């Protein structure tokens, strides 16, 4: 009887530790102002986080503010995008500490302590530069000591020291097409990995795979991403540009939700 109770507790603990979720890029103003109903509903099934497009106005329109309120009201966590490289075609500024932190402060004035998403490093062998940005997110007057700071290193990888020394650091470990995922990521995964990611909590790693045309291919990628050797905790797979949700979004939610069941964990080798 005692052994059975111990087994049940262990199983419950394992299940509660499994917390696979979605990370959704929301770079389209219309999507932010009018969050899709199925996105709002998804938060009742899996943890959902969204990366909001870069804020460029100290007084956003009422629709923008209302959209973010709706996301938060549904239990969706909002990360605020800031660009960190000057040579990109898409975004404002940045490249200097002052420019980047100005963007963070702009969001902090409206949504104090929200997580920050640093895009487009490159931060390979540049942790000293990122350390100051990370420290700003943790010590800014409106920030909390548990404030996540996610980085997408763009064309470069990162060293293990980022995860060892920055407790609230998270990594966007992959953002690319299905072709890149299959040719570079799946067979042994040398890309972006100079250390064993399975030594760290899966919640610290996210991925986005684009140009995935079918539900079956999406489901296969989700299952593979969750396995211990890849160790992704947040994921997004899409057949659409970032201006809209994937056509199979509801199936994506179901595929991620299935990862959180103990039976799936045993079958796929993702149990912790």
């Amino acid at each position: 009887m005692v052994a059975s109770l111990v087994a049940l507790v262990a199983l419950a603990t394992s299940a509660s530790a499994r917390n696979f979720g979605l990370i959704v890029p929301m770079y389209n103003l219309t999507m932010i102002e009018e969050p899709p109903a199925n996105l709002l509903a998804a938060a009742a099934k899996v943890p959902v986080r969204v990366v909001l497009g870069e804020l460029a106005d100290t007084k956003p329109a009422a629709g923008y503010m209302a959209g973010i309120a709706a996301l938060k009201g549904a239990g969706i966590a909002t990360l605020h995008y800031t660009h960190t490289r000057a040579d990109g075609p898409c975004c404002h500024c940045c490249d200097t500490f002052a420019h980047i932190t100005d963007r963070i402060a702009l969001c902090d004035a409206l949504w104090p302590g929200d997580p920050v998403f640093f895009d487009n490093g490159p931060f390979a062998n540049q942790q000293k530069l990122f350390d100051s940005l990370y420290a700003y997110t943790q010590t800014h007057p409106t920030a909390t000591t548990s404030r996540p700071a996610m980085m997408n290193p763009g064309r470069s990888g990162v060293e293990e020291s980022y995860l060892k020394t920055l407790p609230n650091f998270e990594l966007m470990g992959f953002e690319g097409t299905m072709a890149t995922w299959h040719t570079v990521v799946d067979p042994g995964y040398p890309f972006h990995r100079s250390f064993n990611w399975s030594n760290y909590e899966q919640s610290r790693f996210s991925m986005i795979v684009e140009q995935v045309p079918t539900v079956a291919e999406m489901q296969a990628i989700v299952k593979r991403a969750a396995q211990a050797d890849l160790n992704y905790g947040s994921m997004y797979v899409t057949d659409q540009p970032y201006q809209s949700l994937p056509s199979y979004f509801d199936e994506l939610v179901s595929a991620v939700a299935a990862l959180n069941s103990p039976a799936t964990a045993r079958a796929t080798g993702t149990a912790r």
Side-chain angles (χ1 to χ4, degrees), residues 37 40 64 88 101 114 130 160 178 183 209 212 220 225 227 239 246:
L40 297 176
Y64 187 95
T101 53
D114 268 11
F130 185 75
E160 187 173 11
M178 183 175 72
T183 60
V209 184
V212 181
Q227 290 178 344
D239 60 342

Side-chain angles (χ1 to χ4, degrees), residues 19-38:
N19 211 24
F20 292 100
L22 293 174
I23 182 140
V24 181
M26 292 187 73
Y27 301 153
N28 179 273
L29 182 60
T30 300
M31 273 187 73
I32 297 174
E33 292 184 339
E34 300 176 11
N38 53 348

Side-chain angles (χ1 to χ4, degrees), residues 6-87:
V6 170
L8 286 171
V9 170
L11 182 60
T13 301
S14 174
S16 64
R18 300 175 48 72
N19 211 24
F20 292 100
L22 293 174
I23 182 140
V24 181
M26 292 187 73
Y27 301 153
N28 179 273
L29 182 60
T30 300
M31 273 187 73
I32 297 174
E33 292 184 339
E34 300 176 11
N38 53 348
L39 173 61
L40 297 176
K45 302 173 184 176
V46 295
V48 180
R49 299 189 291 175
V50 298
V51 181
L52 299 167
E54 189 173 57
L55 185 64
D57 192 343
T58 56
K59 293 183 178 180
Y64 187 95
M65 298 294 289
I68 293 179
L71 291 167
K72 289 178 176 290
I76 295 174
T78 53
L79 288 78
H80 298 275
Y81 179 107
T82 182
H83 200 249
T84 55
R85 188 171 62 217
D87 63 354

Side-chain angles (χ1 to χ4, degrees), residues 128-170:
K128 284 187 177 179
L129 171 60
F130 185 75
D131 278 352
S132 58
L133 295 173
Y134 175 87
Y136 182 87
T137 68
Q138 304 303 304
T139 61
H140 190 272
T142 59
T144 68
T145 56
S146 60
R147 182 186 201 179
M150 183 182 291
M151 183 175 71
N152 181 357
R155 295 189 291 261
S156 66
V158 298
E159 295 75 35
E160 187 173 11
S161 56
Y162 282 79
L163 287 109
K164 278 187 172 181
T165 62
L166 308 176
N168 297 315
F169 174 82
E170 298 181 17

Side-chain angles (χ1 to χ4, degrees), residues 2 4 7 10 15 37 42 60 73 84 97 99 114 119-120 129 136 163-164 190 238 248 257 269:
V2 172
S4 299
T84 55
F97 181 82
H99 282 155
D114 268 11
D119 197 22
N120 294 320
L129 171 60
Y136 182 87
L163 287 109
K164 278 187 172 181
T238 185
Y248 44 65

Side-chain angles (χ1 to χ4, degrees), residues 174-223:
F174 182 88
E175 182 184 16
T177 65
M178 183 175 72
T180 303
W181 174 265
H182 285 312
T183 60
V184 180
V185 176
D186 219 17
Y189 206 93
F191 185 58
H192 280 243
R193 295 202 176 199
S194 58
F195 59 93
N196 185 356
W197 289 15
S198 65
N199 289 334
Y200 299 90
E201 290 294 326
Q202 65 203 25
S203 59
R204 301 183 75 178
F205 303 103
S206 299
M207 52 76 87
I208 295 174
V209 184
E210 309 163 59
Q211 298 178 23
V212 181
T214 71
V215 170
E217 288 167 315
M218 172 274 290
Q219 291 169 333
I221 288 172
V222 166
K223 289 180 181 178

